[in-house]
Amino acid sequence: MYDARDGYVVTSSLREWESLGDPRVLAKVARLKEQREAVRNKMPLLSYAPECDQAMSMRKVVREIT
């Protein structure tokens, strides 16, 4: 997970990961309010907000690796 607002170190790291090629970056999972809310409610994200962007990104990763 990364957040572009974290600055140069994070964004330059993402560029480096993407340039590796193999294994490739499968998804960019932003830090959104749904994840923080799920943690506060002590629930898995996919149960708390199954249609949020983070949940969709996690499903994409699972499809790629299975």
Side-chain angles (χ1 to χ4, degrees), residues 40-60:
R40 260 185 259 127
N41 289 302
K42 298 180 181 172
M43 294 179 65
L45 177 66
L46 296 176
S47 296
Y48 180 78
E51 300 303 317
C52 74
D53 289 341
Q54 289 173 318
M56 299 294 192
S57 294
M58 289 180 185
R59 285 189 191 95
K60 179 182 177 184

Side-chain angles (χ1 to χ4, degrees), residues 18-35:
E18 290 174 329
S19 72
L20 290 175
D22 190 33
R24 69 187 190 285
V25 174
L26 300 176
K28 297 173 193 169
V29 181
R31 288 184 285 185
L32 301 175
K33 70 177 182 71
E34 290 86 2
Q35 191 255 346

